[in-house]
Amino acid sequence: MGFARACSVALVGVEGVVVEVQADLEPGVAAFTLVGLPDKSLIESRDRVRAAVVNSGAEWPQKKLTVGLSPASVPKSGSGFDLAVACAVLGAAERIDPAAIADVVMIGELGLDGRVRPVRGVLPAVLAAAEAGYQQVAVPEQTAGEAALVPGISVLGVRSLRQLIAILCDEPVPDEPVDDRGRPDAMLAGLMVPGTGLGAGLASPQGEGHTPDLADVAGQLRPRKALEVAAAGGHHLLFSGPPGAGKTMLAERLSAVLPPLTRQESLEVTAVHSVAGILPPGEPLVSRAPYCAPHHSATMQSLVGGGNGMPRPGAVSLAHRGILFLDEAPEFSGKALDALRQPLESGHVVVARAAGVVRLPARFLMVLAANPCPCGRHSLTGAGCECPPSVVRRYQARLSGPLLDRVDLRVEVEPIDRADLLEQGGRGEPTAVVAARVREARARAAERLAGTPWTTNSEVPGHELRTRLLAAPGALAAAERDLERGILTARGLDRVLRVAWTVADLRGAPRPEAQDIAVALELRTGIQRGAPMEMGAL
């Protein structure tokens, strides 16, 4: 009787579980049994592995073969177990020393000719292996750069099963020819799901090779300042106004104002994108904040995650550590919009399906853009809006009160006048200038919040704002009056304090003063309070 074991990783959402692949050979009628809660693609690995082993020059054992995936209670899906199954079988057949593969985590799909094909989710799988104490992984050569992002792990990138056999047996490693006929590498087809990024709205806001600049926006003093405050503190933002005023144009320029991701944030974003199949080949690490803009016909499952079988990341997870832009927000279904309430507060989403429960990261900056009515001319003087008052109320009520209460900044975008459009009033500040102020403000917030689990002002709980991070004496008088009048809720007061701290950080002040509270109240309620909004005045 022969027995050997190898290791692989099963992904549950964006978290990995190390799986022990055990192979057992016994005398009897030649058969191949795979157990351990595999899905359809994993059951089909029996034929792929047999053909790959034979075509790699090894002998397939003509005995009763049982391959078990442990723990058996964890659902296993995908073709990434092929490499571990093949090595476990060869170890049981004594073609490979079983001790040489016992502590190596193997991830990869096998072609019928023995080539190792890349699979999605390599980064979270290697992270799970490192947390479990493993120090060596074998992955397809195309994803070796992604696996190498994990510190403390020795990465072995292989092109074929015969190469891996030679390395494990300390034999001369054969050369594998590379297809260099100028066409796209077919081996990379397994890394990206066609249409996934487009379906989620995940793309560069203005196309490849073009960086939108805030200097392109004519006028819009107050919305530009709200955009800067949102970027500096991570505050959610609502732009409302008539069509053509520049709401989408402003939102598309927010991603360039945000600072680059930290190393930990980059690993989190890369892990989600790798599992979702939208990580571009050749770019193993995402360093910029993602920008996700789903269409208003998106369902609740496409926003928060779901799908057949094990739930997959939705738009809120693809926008993790980045921007979720909902253009024409009232046109989204009310069920889909209200599903955003929980991730806006907690920073993650829990999706429960029959196949299992998945916890997905979802800490994003939400930007909403809305028209005042179906025709969009309700707020314009003399524009001839023909929408009845009941239609206007019903249209505006599509954004529910509990959802809007979680939005820190609500700004009215006015139509552009002729002087601003023709640049007679001068161009606004470019993105580089605004981004520099945002980086400085975030550095002040990070220094103040050092030693706490929070990094931006939008994450600080209200209890901390009222007990430890106090505003200047008497600065909250206006906010307290609004709370007594019912203009603000208790959550609204906490969010005004968070915005005020961000405004103070942009000014370089040690704590919020009365003018900072006035700016925060004006940006949230829309009531004019005489707060300074000039560029750089904060």
Side-chain angles (χ1 to χ4, degrees):
M1 181 180 69
F3 177 84
R5 62 169 179 255
C7 293
S8 190
V9 178
L11 291 177
V12 182
V14 294
E15 299 176 353
V17 178
V18 175
V19 173
E20 190 176 83
V21 181
Q22 304 170 347
D24 177 69
L25 284 174
E26 296 180 357
V29 179
F32 189 172
T33 305
L34 184 63
V35 297
L37 215 58
D39 71 341
K40 181 65 175 177
S41 61
L42 186 49
I43 291 176
E44 292 176 349
S45 68
R46 295 180 299 185
D47 300 318
R48 291 195 301 270
V49 169
R50 181 187 293 110
V53 168
V54 173
N55 290 327
S56 298
E59 182 180 353
W60 183 260
Q62 298 300 318
K63 296 182 180 180
K64 181 182 178 182
L65 172 62
T66 303
V67 174
L69 308 175
S70 180
S73 59
V74 176
K76 303 164 190 71
S77 60
S79 57
F81 294 88
D82 290 2
L83 201 58
V85 171
C87 289
V89 172
L90 293 174
E94 298 182 352
R95 173 63 177 87
I96 300 175
D97 183 7
I101 60 174
D103 295 326
V104 180
V105 176
M106 303 178 185
I107 304 164
E109 177 186 335
L110 286 176
L112 300 184
D113 58 353
R115 290 184 299 171
V116 181
R117 302 181 64 92
V119 294
R120 300 188 299 273
V122 167
L123 177 59
V126 177
L127 284 170
E131 292 175 359
Y134 290 87
Q135 298 180 349
Q136 188 173 9
V137 295
V139 298
E141 188 180 49
Q142 293 86 346
T143 57
E146 183 180 344
L149 296 174
V150 182
I153 287 286
S154 175
V155 179
L156 176 61
V158 294
R159 296 183 187 175
S160 65
L161 179 60
R162 63 176 62 90
Q163 278 190 346
L164 181 57
I165 294 173
I167 293 173
L168 294 174
C169 296
D170 198 16
E171 299 173 354
V173 180
D175 291 331
E176 296 292 342
V178 179
D179 188 359
D180 56 355
R181 285 176 279 185
R183 60 190 181 190
D185 189 359
M187 298 289 285
L188 299 176
L191 291 180
M192 297 189 68
V193 179
T196 303
L198 297 176
L202 190 75
S204 175
Q206 291 288 337
E208 297 295 334
H210 177 76
T211 302
D213 197 293
L214 269 175
D216 302 334
V217 180
Q220 303 299 0
L221 180 64
R222 194 176 305 274
R224 287 171 62 102
K225 182 51 62 179
L227 201 73
E228 181 177 341
V229 173
H235 305 288
H236 306 304
L237 176 63
L238 167 64
F239 285 136
S240 59
K247 302 185 294 294
T248 304
M249 191 176 185
L250 284 162
E252 289 173 344
R253 281 147 180 79
L254 178 56
S255 59
V257 178
L258 292 176
L261 300 177
T262 64
R263 174 74 177 187
Q264 180 61 33
E265 292 172 345
S266 295
L267 290 176
E268 294 175 8
V269 174
T270 303
V272 176
H273 289 196
S274 179
V275 170
I278 57 176
L279 191 64
E283 298 181 15
L285 187 66
V286 179
S287 59
R288 296 293 306 174
Y291 174 89
C292 189
H295 191 260
H296 62 257
S297 62
T299 62
M300 184 184 71
Q301 289 76 14
S302 67
L303 282 181
V304 300
N308 296 327
M310 189 60 66
R312 300 184 62 82
V316 296
S317 297
L318 299 180
H320 180 60
R321 300 296 182 183
I323 300 166
L324 178 67
F325 176 46
L326 303 182
D327 200 4
E328 305 294 344
E331 300 295 341
F332 284 80
S333 70
K335 188 178 180 181
L337 289 175
D338 288 337
L340 300 177
R341 298 182 195 175
Q342 184 261 346
L344 285 175
E345 288 288 335
S346 63
H348 64 268
V349 59
V350 178
V351 183
R353 294 293 185 269
V357 180
V358 172
R359 184 181 185 273
L360 300 168
R363 187 167 297 281
F364 54 89
L365 195 164
M366 182 179 68
V367 181
L368 305 174
N371 294 325
C373 67
C375 75
R377 299 191 295 271
H378 177 68
S379 60
L380 299 179
T381 303
C385 174
E386 300 178 354
C387 301
S390 60
V391 174
V392 175
R393 287 195 302 270
R394 188 161 55 248
Y395 186 81
Q396 294 178 352
R398 293 182 181 179
L399 298 178
S400 65
L403 177 65
L404 290 180
D405 199 35
R406 290 166 166 81
V407 178
D408 302 344
L409 311 172
R410 310 172 193 173
V411 182
E412 186 74 23
V413 182
E414 302 290 343
I416 303 297
D417 57 25
R418 180 169 58 91
D420 288 332
L421 190 61
L422 299 179
E423 297 184 359
Q424 295 176 0
R427 291 170 61 88
E429 289 182 314
T431 296
V433 176
V434 178
R437 284 203 300 267
V438 168
R439 286 195 299 271
E440 293 175 1
R442 288 222 176 186
R444 295 188 186 98
E447 182 180 357
R448 180 174 63 251
L449 299 174
T452 68
W454 317 296
T455 55
T456 59
N457 293 323
S458 62
E459 302 172 6
V460 182
H463 176 72
E464 291 287 325
L465 296 172
R466 294 188 297 270
T467 58
R468 191 171 68 88
L469 302 175
L470 298 176
L476 289 176
E480 292 170 353
R481 286 196 299 269
D482 285 0
L483 181 65
E484 293 175 353
R485 295 169 182 170
I487 300 176
L488 285 179
T489 62
R491 180 193 286 122
L493 179 61
D494 290 342
R495 293 186 176 273
V496 166
L497 287 173
R498 295 170 183 172
V499 174
W501 271 105
T502 301
V503 176
D505 288 335
L506 286 169
R507 285 197 307 117
R511 60 179 177 175
E513 305 286 345
Q515 63 171 337
D516 302 322
I517 300 293
V519 171
L521 286 171
E522 186 169 332
L523 290 176
R524 180 173 178 85
T525 63
I527 301 174
Q528 301 292 330
R529 302 170 188 266
M533 289 287 175
E534 291 78 11
M535 306 310 297
L538 300 184

